[in-house]
Amino acid sequence: MIRIADGWKDFSVLATGDGYKLERWGEHILLRPDPQVIWHAQRDLFGYPGLSAVYRRSEKGGGAWEYKKPLPQSWNIGYKDLTFKIMPMGFKHTGLFPEQAANWETTGALVRKAVAAGRKVKVLNLFAYTGGASVALAKAGAEVTHVDAAKGMVERAGENARLSGIASGIRYIIDDCKKFVLRELRRGNRYDAVVMDPPSYGRGPGGEMWKIETELYPFVKLCAELLSDDPLFFLINSYTTGLQPAVLSNILTLCLAGRAGRIEAYEVGLPTEEKIPLPCGAGGIYIHD
């Protein structure tokens, strides 16, 4: 099963092949590497008319942007009633994962339904990056605690919130996610929903090591203790190549054993103008109906 984020107007995948994806971000065309794209290109991606920039990997690791035409340092794109700042950064990133709109739709609907019923909804967003989920959930009516170890990314999240017309409703925390969760447990704080987008590898602000294969299960188990008695959902996103949706389903099943509800696991993807889906990772969600 693959959930396709097909609600975009300001973003699209134009073509894919030979390890690259050609994308339109508003008025600008970017060509970026993608390890999932192992098929041959059906057209010349590097010669595409209007191509603004290509991210080329280095044999020594990392890489750099090669600009084909003048490109602003940053610009904005919209998704329905949300607005995000796009800025090409190191390691091919732009500051947004558009495929996550598929999850924004699911979780946003759950929040809106609960808020409409008069409920106050507290959401914890871990490894929250530039705040795509934080902004979407706050717009839906949730009170969001946004946690990420990178100060620059948290600042970008604040920018995205302001661009989307959100003046309050998001609390920003710059910290190692595990340390923050442990403190919240000691304080007795609880949340109605948890969202996490863990990296394959990473370091916290104090040099804390994270390796998803060994850290994810115990961390999810720890975070499950933060759920309120009547939770809405628990969502895990993963971009780690080879980590199957069934793995996320198993982790949620084991860590949330005894809680009423259902668990769904799936691939997340984007539509392409080639009429094939571009796989972009995996998701697993527990929903307490």
Side-chain angles (χ1 to χ4, degrees):
M1 173 185 177
I2 183 167
R3 294 188 179 180
I4 302 294
D6 57 4
W8 285 96
K9 290 184 171 60
D10 284 356
F11 169 87
S12 61
V13 180
L14 304 174
T16 59
D18 300 315
Y20 278 87
K21 55 187 175 183
L22 185 70
E23 304 164 302
R24 178 182 61 84
W25 297 83
E27 298 178 354
H28 306 291
I29 309 298
L30 304 180
L31 183 59
R32 300 191 293 159
D34 190 316
Q36 299 277 26
V37 181
I38 63 173
W39 51 90
H40 289 313
Q42 304 302 300
R43 62 178 304 165
D44 178 10
L45 304 185
F46 290 84
Y48 187 85
L51 178 61
S52 300
V54 178
Y55 186 88
R56 293 189 184 274
R57 292 197 181 280
S58 169
E59 294 180 357
K60 299 178 181 179
W65 288 97
E66 176 185 308
Y67 295 96
K68 301 292 187 180
K69 58 184 293 189
L71 189 69
Q73 183 180 15
S74 66
W75 63 95
N76 300 334
I77 67 170
Y79 179 80
K80 297 186 177 180
D81 58 349
L82 308 176
T83 302
F84 299 102
K85 179 179 179 180
I86 302 303
M87 184 171 68
M89 302 181 292
F91 198 63
K92 76 175 182 179
H93 288 212
T94 64
L96 188 68
F97 293 100
E99 69 276 0
Q100 287 304 313
N103 283 323
W104 304 341
E105 294 291 342
T106 300
T107 55
L110 293 169
V111 168
R112 283 189 291 272
K113 181 179 178 181
V115 170
R119 181 172 175 181
K120 180 179 176 180
V121 178
K122 292 177 59 180
V123 178
L124 176 61
N125 187 10
L126 299 166
F127 310 100
Y129 194 50
T130 59
S134 296
V135 171
L137 291 168
K139 197 76 169 181
E143 295 182 3
V144 182
T145 297
H146 174 109
V147 186
D148 198 280
K151 181 181 178 181
M153 297 301 101
V154 175
E155 291 173 347
R156 286 277 298 278
E159 288 185 70
N160 286 330
R162 290 187 290 274
L163 287 170
S164 296
I166 299 168
S168 62
I170 304 178
R171 178 171 64 128
Y172 303 97
I173 306 292
I174 302 169
D175 202 354
D176 174 74
C177 288
K178 184 175 181 180
K179 288 184 177 180
F180 178 79
V181 168
L182 289 170
R183 283 202 306 276
E184 290 292 87
L185 287 170
R186 289 195 295 268
R187 293 168 179 150
N189 290 334
R190 295 295 181 267
Y191 295 86
D192 302 302
V194 174
V195 177
M196 65 171 65
D197 204 337
S200 299
Y201 299 95
R203 286 186 181 273
E208 302 87 352
M209 277 293 297
W210 168 275
K211 187 176 180 182
I212 198 167
E213 291 86 352
T214 56
E215 299 290 339
L216 183 59
Y217 172 77
F219 186 63
V220 172
K221 193 170 183 64
L222 193 68
C223 292
E225 298 178 37
L226 284 175
L227 286 177
S228 62
D229 292 335
D230 186 23
L232 284 185
F233 61 86
F234 193 124
L235 171 67
I236 307 173
N237 299 313
S238 174
Y239 300 100
T240 304
T241 303
L243 195 63
Q244 301 295 323
V247 174
L248 303 181
S249 175
N250 290 345
I251 289 174
L252 288 169
T253 298
L254 294 170
C255 292
L256 298 172
R259 289 184 178 267
R262 56 191 166 92
I263 292 171
E264 301 174 1
Y266 45 87
E267 287 185 85
V268 177
L270 289 164
T272 73
E273 293 193 2
E274 300 164 313
K275 308 302 181 185
I276 59 173
L278 176 64
C280 301
I285 188 169
Y286 159 82
I287 298 174
H288 183 206
D289 294 310

